Amino acid sequence: MTSPGKHPILITGAGRRIGAHIARRLLENGQPVLAHYRTKTDELSALEKLGADTLAADFADAAGVSAFARAVRQRHPQLRAIIHNASSYGPTVTGSQPAAQQFLEFFNIHMLTPFLLNRELAPCLQAGGESATDIIHITDIYADNPVPDYDIYCATKAGLQNLALSAAKQLAPKVKVNVIQPGPIAFPKWHDAAQTHNILQQTPLARAGGAEVIYQAVRSILDNDFMTGAIVSVDGGRRWN
């Protein structure tokens, strides 16, 4: 593992679940973290006790994202990395108008927000010395193999992945941009036992991965200075099925 940087890693959606776990593990290893959140949680309070800087924002529209980016630049003119973890997940709702609204919500969080943050915070990543900095987009294996009932989620995650590949070309050689594709890491509470069983039956390693495996993937990208434009699947083999 490389030595922790003195400049923070910005993690969006760090108030719970995978984002909170990544932030905690980085802090435990001496890496400063700027944790974005929308709603205050117990997990976020725990990160603050570990020394995380925290910043609230609602990414519902471009104005909110730009205001957040300005606040980040004021607090931290230099960043070690950005991890685009903020996400919305769920099956496509019924009815054209509700589905249209869901599409806009998922587009804003999965595509518009990372697009604007990459542009507006690139100077913070490029402000340092010789060593490369990082952007990591956390997408989903369904970006490559969509599930029809989740078509809006899958499409916007695919868009996020494509944006990452463009950014890898645009920001090289100073900024490395890579993608992590989680598979069955953890299941939402609204998944019933039958859904969970079916997914695990189609996963060669036959279990949920847990948040630590995503942190391990993040760590491996941060530590590798000759890796950009890569798509790293962390899915127990689920993408094959």
Side-chain angles (χ1 to χ4, degrees):
M1 182 183 297
T2 58
S3 300
K6 63 180 180 179
H7 303 298
I9 292 177
L10 167 61
I11 305 172
T12 65
R16 54 173 52 88
R17 293 167 57 87
I18 291 174
H21 182 86
I22 294 170
R24 178 177 62 80
R25 294 288 281 118
L26 289 170
L27 289 163
E28 289 172 347
N29 282 284
Q31 170 61 54
V33 167
L34 173 57
H36 156 264
Y37 68 99
R38 186 176 64 176
T39 304
K40 193 90 173 193
T41 63
D42 291 342
E43 290 171 288
L44 188 82
S45 297
L47 294 178
E48 290 175 334
K49 290 179 181 178
L50 288 173
D53 188 11
T54 60
L55 187 58
D58 188 341
F59 293 152
D61 55 34
V65 179
S66 292
F68 175 78
R70 287 194 299 273
V72 172
R73 291 195 302 269
Q74 290 170 358
R75 287 196 192 188
H76 301 287
Q78 288 186 236
L79 293 172
R80 168 61 184 86
I82 301 170
I83 300 174
H84 293 295
N85 167 75
S87 183
S88 292
Y89 175 69
T92 299
V93 297
T94 57
S96 295
Q97 289 306 311
Q101 182 59 41
Q102 184 185 39
F103 200 116
L104 290 174
E105 291 172 1
F106 282 23
F107 170 81
N108 283 341
I109 192 69
H110 295 155
M111 295 181 65
L112 181 62
T113 293
F115 171 76
L116 291 175
L117 290 182
N118 285 352
R119 287 186 165 227
E120 298 196 26
L121 297 179
C124 299
L125 294 166
Q126 296 165 328
E130 299 264 337
S131 60
T133 52
D134 288 271
I135 297 173
I136 299 174
H137 289 218
I138 297 182
T139 64
D140 196 293
I141 56 170
Y142 293 152
D144 291 334
N145 186 18
V147 177
D149 288 345
Y150 291 75
D151 55 359
I152 293 175
Y153 171 80
C154 297
T156 52
K157 282 291 189 175
L160 172 63
Q161 187 163 295
N162 192 271
L163 285 171
L165 300 181
S166 292
K169 296 177 180 180
Q170 292 165 347
L171 298 176
K174 174 57 183 171
V175 182
K176 301 185 287 116
V177 186
N178 293 286
V179 173
I180 294 173
Q181 286 185 334
I185 298 303
F187 295 99
K189 293 179 181 179
W190 46 265
H191 259 220
D192 61 31
Q195 286 177 293
T196 300
H197 177 73
N198 182 56
I199 290 171
L200 293 183
Q201 272 199 319
Q202 297 178 54
T203 303
L205 294 187
R207 59 183 174 84
E212 178 65 10
V213 298
I214 302 301
Y215 168 73
Q216 291 168 353
V218 166
R219 188 73 261 177
S220 69
I221 290 171
L222 296 175
D223 289 348
N224 191 324
D225 66 1
F226 196 62
M227 181 179 181
T228 196
I231 298 173
V232 180
S233 296
V234 185
D235 64 348
R238 174 76 173 83
R239 67 194 178 283
W240 298 334
N241 295 312

